[in-house]
Structure formats: structure tokens, C-alpha cells
Amino acid sequence: MISAGVRRLGTRLAASAAGPDVGSSESARRTTLVVASLTISGLAIAWVGTFVVLGRPFAAAIPFASQVATWIGLAVVSTGRGFAAFRSGQIAMMTVLPFLLQWSVGGYAASSAVSLWALVAALGAVFFLGAAGAVPWFIAFCGLTVISAVIDPSLAAGAVPLPELVRTTFFGLNVLGVATTSFV
């Protein structure tokens, strides 16, 4: 069964990331990041597929690139090495790529405010790096939000709108997804 195979793979990857030389709280953080990365990578299939169907190959390439980078990182982590680089890479991608996707689609309204997902990276950084380690990621989120606000009028002016049903669905999914992830 596919789900059982994915579950076994996730368990093996999480065990490799946790490693025998780390404490239980660090092991829990590492396992959480691996599981979250696998989940996000799986969910990105819907984004890639939707943007391909809508004829937006550049927008589709952004979550696809994230998937590829995640799987390469997980392959390295599965060898028991490179967890710190994997963690930094995941936080960086989760901070920057939602903004790139938003800009590629045409700004806040056209993308259904997909940049909200970058807030999850800043909040996750608190868990994975501690409060002090998360500050630069929150500053990055704030900076990218300001840049987005400044360039939004020109992005919106050139945007080819997504179908209303897709845009509304994405708004709901973005708000619920970020809220649920933050709450959990």
C-alpha cells in the first residue's frame, strides 16, 4: 500500500535525522522537521498541478523546485549528515518561495496572499532554532512583506487573474493552512 510505504519512508528518514547522538528534545525537533517537510512536499503536488493546468509553468516551477530541494536534502539527511544545512534550507525556502510565488502570480489578491505561508517559517524557526535564532527569519518575513506591499500595485496591474473559484479556494486554504499549522 502506498500510504504504508510513505509512512515507513518517513519513519526511516526521521530516525536518520534524529540520530543516536542527540538528546530527546533535539530528536523531537528533527523528527518534526522531517515530517513537516515530507507533508509540505506532498501538499505541493496540488499547487504544481493546479498551476500547470492553469498554464502557469513559472508559478508551478516554484513549488516543484522546493519539492526537489527537499528530497535532495532528505537524501543527505538519511545518511545521518547535514541536518543543520537541511534545517536552514527548509526555513529559507519556506520564507522566500511563498513570496516568489505571490510575485509570479501577480501580487496579494491574484495569489490569494500565498505569502502568509512564510509566516509559518518564522514561527517554525522559534521551535527549531529557539527565539533568538528565529529573529532573523521574522525580520526576513517582515522585509519581504514590505517589499511585496511596495511592488504589489505594479504586479497587480500586469496580472492575468486566476479563475475566481481557484482564487477563493486558495484564499481559504492559505488562511486555514497557516492557522492550523501555527496552532499545531
Side-chain angles (χ1 to χ4, degrees):
M1 186 171 233
I2 292 176
S3 63
V6 170
R7 197 173 21 246
R8 280 193 304 276
L9 174 62
T11 301
R12 277 198 311 262
L13 286 169
S16 295
D21 58 336
V22 298
S24 62
S25 61
E26 178 63 16
S27 178
R29 281 191 289 276
R30 289 181 179 202
T31 299
T32 300
L33 182 59
V34 168
V35 170
S37 298
L38 286 168
T39 302
I40 291 166
S41 183
L43 293 172
I45 292 169
W47 284 98
V48 173
T50 300
F51 285 122
V52 166
V53 167
L54 293 173
R56 309 281 177 97
F58 184 75
I62 294 168
F64 181 72
S66 174
Q67 288 176 303
V68 170
T70 295
W71 283 97
I72 290 169
L74 287 168
V76 172
V77 165
S78 74
T79 67
R81 297 184 314 251
F83 186 80
F86 176 72
R87 179 182 57 217
S88 295
Q90 289 296 299
I91 295 170
M93 283 191 306
M94 289 181 68
T95 300
V96 174
L97 295 182
F99 285 99
L100 291 178
L101 184 57
Q102 179 169 295
W103 299 341
S104 76
V105 175
Y108 279 108
S111 73
S112 305
V114 71
S115 65
L116 280 173
W117 280 102
L119 179 59
V120 172
L123 295 173
V126 173
F127 178 72
F128 298 117
L129 302 171
V135 169
W137 296 108
F138 184 69
I139 291 170
F141 169 77
C142 292
L144 289 166
T145 299
V146 169
I147 291 168
S148 290
V150 169
I151 66 173
D152 193 75
S154 62
L155 293 173
V160 176
L162 294 173
E164 186 66 28
L165 178 61
V166 171
R167 207 174 51 192
T168 302
T169 300
F170 279 172
F171 261 122
L173 291 173
N174 289 336
V175 172
L176 285 175
V178 170
T180 302
T181 303
S182 299
F183 180 79
V184 171

